[in-house]
Amino acid sequence: MNRLSKYTFLFISAVFVFIKLQQVFSIEPFIRESYAISWDNYGYYLHLPATLIYKDPGITEHWIDSLNNKYEPGRPFYQVWDGVNGRKVNVYPVGLAICNLPFFLAGHLFAKIFGYPPDGLSPPYQWAMIFSALFYAILGFWLLRKLLLRFFNDSNTSIVMALIAVGTNLYYYATYNDLLPHIHLFAVDCGILLLTIKWHERPDRKTSLYIGMLIGLATITRPSEIVWLIIPLLWNISGIPSLKEKMKLLARNFSHVLLLVFGMMAVGSIQLFYWKYTSGHWFSFNHTEGFDFFSPFTWKVLFSYKKGWLLYTPIMALAVAGLLLSWKWKKNLFIPFLLFFLANLWFISSWECWWYAGSFGQRAFVQSYGLMAIPLGYFIEIVSVKKVIRIFGSFILLFFVWLNLFQTWQMNNDILSDQLMTKDYYWKIFGRTEVKPEWRKLMEIDRGNAVPLDVDVSVKDPREIKIDIEHDGSIPQSQIIDSIGIPPMKYLKLNKDFQFGGVFRQKFSSLTSKDYLRVRYSVWVYVNDSSLNPCLISFAMIGRRGQTYGYQPVDITHRTEVGHRIHITADYITPVILHEDDELIVDVFNPGGSTIFMNEPEIEIYEPK
């Protein structure tokens, strides 16, 4: 029975395995240079070797330095912050490490048996993480098939499975970039849905406990997954009468509710104990970005050319339409699905880095595609009643599948950018298999690879802003020196007693209406000590929560010359601005405490044309 959906599942699984292995073997240093465990993936993964190999979850020993030095080409180290008692706090939560634990142990055993360094990053560990991601991708579709067969016949189940697999950006995160937690959570969240259905068919304590444990695991993988509580709590509610019945059902099975909460807390406490051990606090949120729940970036998240969900994954617009249509066709699903969708959208849109860094489309939605597959299936059922609509709809669906696969190819071939897309560039490359160099000028500025300011023809002439250190109320007059023997006469003295000077701080919106600025800070510096310790010109943005982002220090120590007054400049490009009222701050910072004399600091602001 249900052979077509079974064959569809096997075909999808084979495609995922084939694409991933093709990627690994086509990039020669993929394993050798630790591509498999790099960037954010390294942060999620680091919990495992730190705890199980080095017995040092707080990363207090020097093993991390030797490990990073050995495998650095594929993995810059930015994933931890300073905690208490010399410990480091991993920015990334522990949930994905728990998902990967069985595969990590298998990789560790393989490394020991076959003579690989049992250090946590040699090839067996990287292969273990690759196979772990493939396992969860395949598990997710096995669970999705079981889920869809509860709502649709075999052929429609097969269609929806195929559309989710190759018609959405899940395809990218199940293959090319599968070590991020989204594909793992896709499987976990499908499990939550199936267990929720099972409990409502026949309530039992074990199922309640499992639901709670899976929600707890999802939450300590990505905290926004707490929204999955909506599903078991509001399942089958279609109005006031059904709400009353649901309250009676929960009251009769109150011990089940307690077990659900216990399961959540038992799994979730792993994260809490980790934070307490490393940071000294039960809750420690160390991301540079955070949630801005009162000013979500919803329109940008859904429709922007930079990273709009429905622009880059348009087939999900049909799922949203099916969700709205379920108000008439499946009222018992409409309320829980709608409230989940809105809560999930709110969380995703409230994240200050709403484009979620380098990614294809909106990756934060991927784990919810198991749920969204159900209204997608209903939409297809509803609109395919008439033959003409069915034929036209088939062409639309095939186009969306082609678009997803083609844009994934563009992404992998550096045609479609993972961060710098604009409307003009999007339409210039639409359907293209190559890019002319001049087209790239239509993209957002590449802040990491911008041309030097002196030859940048894309900016206007600068606006000069003088910084009056002599009358700056934040500078003690005792630090203003009338003479050091060379003109001009007034200097600001920086030493161990006063380490900051020439501070410039202003709201971004008061400087420009554009989306970025180029900034040049210049200052005259005089030193009379050859043993000068580090001195920095520092640039940064200060967000609404007081957080620093886009920080860029420029060490000017090597530019000074003892006994001479030297003019020093440093340039900066503002990062992607989170909020227009965020502040640009520029100053000189003398952390070494050596004596430095400076004067005539000046800011030049360059706006894009």
Side-chain angles (χ1 to χ4, degrees):
M1 294 183 62
N2 301 319
R3 286 184 177 181
L4 182 58
S5 62
K6 183 184 297 183
Y7 293 146
T8 303
F9 162 71
L10 293 174
F11 178 75
I12 291 169
S13 302
V15 167
F16 288 171
V17 172
F18 174 78
I19 294 296
K20 187 62 187 182
L21 294 181
Q22 183 187 50
Q23 178 198 29
V24 173
F25 289 116
S26 64
I27 302 176
E28 188 277 329
F30 195 94
I31 297 296
R32 176 169 55 83
E33 294 190 358
S34 181
Y35 283 16
I37 305 173
S38 59
W39 300 95
D40 289 4
N41 300 331
Y42 182 46
Y44 286 111
Y45 171 78
L46 190 57
H47 294 286
L48 291 169
T51 303
L52 300 175
I53 296 178
Y54 300 100
K55 316 300 181 186
D56 184 25
I59 312 179
T60 59
E61 305 296 334
H62 295 297
W63 61 268
I64 191 66
D65 297 324
S66 60
L67 201 62
N68 288 343
N69 291 335
K70 183 176 181 181
Y71 296 95
E72 182 64 28
R75 194 191 58 263
F77 192 54
Y78 59 87
Q79 295 85 353
V80 300
W81 296 73
D82 290 334
V84 295
N85 301 321
R87 299 179 185 126
K88 301 291 185 182
V89 185
N90 192 331
V91 174
Y92 297 86
V94 304
L96 186 58
I98 295 172
C99 293
N100 287 328
L101 177 59
F103 294 88
F104 172 84
L105 294 175
H108 188 55
L109 180 62
F110 188 95
K112 285 189 170 184
I113 292 174
F114 292 98
Y116 287 92
D119 58 9
L121 282 178
S122 61
Y125 300 95
Q126 296 173 56
W127 278 111
M129 294 304 100
I130 290 170
F131 288 132
S132 177
L134 286 172
F135 168 80
Y136 281 100
I138 294 170
L139 174 63
F141 273 85
W142 181 70
L143 295 173
L144 179 63
R145 175 176 174 265
K146 293 186 65 175
L147 177 66
L148 292 175
L149 285 172
R150 288 179 169 269
F151 298 92
F152 310 108
N153 61 32
D154 186 49
S155 59
N156 282 354
T157 292
S158 301
I159 292 170
V160 175
M161 288 173 63
L163 292 176
I164 295 295
V166 296
T168 73
N169 57 337
L170 179 145
Y171 171 73
Y172 180 76
Y173 290 100
T175 53
Y176 297 104
N177 199 356
D178 58 345
L179 271 77
L180 286 170
H182 308 291
I183 198 63
H184 305 71
L185 286 171
F186 172 72
V188 171
D189 295 342
C190 284
I192 294 171
L193 283 164
L194 280 168
L195 289 173
T196 296
I197 295 171
K198 179 181 178 182
W199 187 88
H200 283 81
E201 290 175 344
R202 181 178 295 178
D204 71 272
R205 293 181 177 85
K206 186 183 295 185
T207 303
S208 298
L209 178 63
Y210 291 160
I211 293 172
M213 292 175 68
L214 287 184
I215 295 176
L217 177 60
T219 303
I220 63 172
T221 303
R222 287 179 67 87
S224 58
E225 294 294 289
I226 191 68
V227 297
W228 279 92
L229 263 176
I230 292 171
I231 295 303
L233 293 181
L234 299 184
W235 190 261
N236 275 342
I237 292 177
S238 58
I240 298 300
S242 59
L243 175 61
K244 292 180 179 178
E245 288 300 316
K246 183 61 176 287
M247 298 299 293
K248 292 178 182 178
L249 177 64
L250 294 179
R252 288 196 304 269
N253 298 279
F254 188 66
S255 62
H256 298 200
V257 177
L258 293 179
L259 280 170
L260 186 149
V261 174
F262 173 79
M264 279 188 60
M265 294 305 298
V267 177
S269 65
I270 299 172
Q271 182 68 59
L272 299 180
F273 281 112
Y274 170 78
W275 276 333
K276 183 63 175 177
Y277 175 74
T278 55
S279 73
H281 303 282
W282 287 108
F283 183 82
S284 177
F285 191 79
N286 293 306
H287 267 287
T288 300
E289 299 93 11
F291 290 102
D292 187 353
F293 291 114
F294 299 103
S295 301
F297 305 92
T298 308
W299 182 263
K300 292 179 178 179
V301 164
L302 291 176
F303 302 112
S304 72
Y305 282 90
K306 183 178 179 69
K307 207 66 70 74
W309 181 43
L310 298 182
L311 178 70
Y312 289 98
T313 311
I315 205 168
M316 279 293 111
L318 306 183
V320 175
L323 172 58
L324 298 178
L325 289 173
S326 67
W327 174 79
K328 179 178 180 180
W329 297 93
K330 292 289 180 180
K331 291 186 178 181
N332 64 317
L333 297 181
F334 174 71
I335 289 178
F337 279 22
L338 179 65
L339 291 180
F340 171 87
F341 175 77
L342 293 176
N344 193 44
L345 175 62
W346 184 43
F347 265 96
I348 291 170
S349 302
S350 296
W351 187 245
E352 287 177 318
C353 184
W354 59 267
W355 62 98
Y356 290 86
S359 57
F360 177 50
Q362 280 288 342
R363 58 186 172 92
F365 284 98
V366 167
Q367 53 263 33
S368 67
Y369 288 171
L371 182 145
M372 297 302 294
I374 298 172
L376 176 61
Y378 281 127
F379 180 84
I380 292 172
E381 277 194 346
I382 293 168
V383 301
S384 62
V385 173
K386 294 185 178 181
K387 184 176 180 180
V388 174
I389 298 177
R390 185 165 64 248
I391 294 173
F392 177 73
S394 297
F395 281 108
I396 295 295
L397 291 173
L398 288 174
F399 172 74
F400 286 161
V401 170
W402 170 83
L403 181 65
N404 182 71
L405 294 176
F406 183 74
Q407 289 190 334
T408 302
W409 179 87
Q410 285 184 313
M411 176 89 164
N412 290 328
N413 286 274
D414 196 31
I415 296 173
L416 191 148
S417 171
D418 64 357
Q419 295 202 64
L420 307 177
M421 294 298 295
T422 63
K423 177 181 178 181
D424 291 339
Y425 183 70
Y426 178 88
W427 290 113
K428 181 64 72 172
I429 66 164
F430 189 84
R432 304 277 188 165
T433 58
E434 59 182 14
V435 179
K436 295 181 180 180
E438 60 268 24
W439 294 355
R440 296 195 183 275
K441 296 178 182 178
L442 300 173
M443 300 166 69
E444 286 186 12
I445 186 172
D446 187 350
R447 291 161 172 81
N449 297 288
V451 298
L453 180 55
D454 292 330
V455 297
D456 188 354
V457 297
S458 67
V459 294
K460 301 177 183 178
D461 292 335
R463 302 198 316 269
E464 297 181 357
I465 302 175
K466 302 287 186 181
I467 301 175
D468 187 357
I469 56 177
E470 185 176 356
H471 298 96
D472 187 335
S474 65
I475 297 176
Q477 287 300 303
S478 59
Q479 298 297 129
I480 305 297
I481 307 301
D482 288 335
S483 175
I484 60 172
I486 57 174
M489 303 304 289
K490 297 288 187 180
Y491 283 84
L492 170 61
K493 180 181 179 180
L494 301 181
N495 51 23
K496 61 183 178 58
D497 298 319
F498 191 80
Q499 297 180 325
F500 293 90
V503 177
F504 172 84
R505 185 166 185 159
Q506 200 161 329
K507 286 186 177 181
F508 183 82
S509 58
S510 68
L511 297 171
T512 184
S513 60
K514 304 290 186 177
D515 58 357
Y516 78 94
L517 288 174
R518 299 198 71 159
V519 181
R520 171 166 286 173
Y521 183 92
S522 60
V523 65
W524 287 91
V525 175
Y526 175 83
V527 297
N528 55 13
D529 184 356
S530 60
S531 61
L532 183 64
N533 291 318
C535 183
L536 311 172
I537 294 176
S538 63
F539 302 87
M541 294 298 302
I542 306 298
R544 286 182 178 177
R545 295 177 293 104
Q547 82 277 24
T548 299
Y549 67 97
Y551 176 65
Q552 177 182 310
V554 179
D555 191 348
I556 64 174
T557 307
H558 66 284
R559 304 190 200 178
T560 60
E561 187 175 344
V562 176
H564 294 271
R565 182 171 176 261
I566 304 296
H567 190 245
I568 295 175
T569 63
D571 297 337
Y572 178 66
I573 303 176
T574 55
V576 177
I577 301 302
L578 304 181
H579 308 278
E580 63 179 15
D581 57 351
D582 290 351
E583 293 181 308
L584 169 67
I585 183 168
V586 189
D587 62 12
V588 176
F589 177 38
N590 180 30
S594 300
T595 299
I596 300 170
F597 300 92
M598 57 168 283
N599 65 3
E600 299 183 22
E602 183 179 88
I603 292 281
E604 291 179 340
I605 302 294
Y606 295 79
E607 280 190 283
K609 291 179 180 177

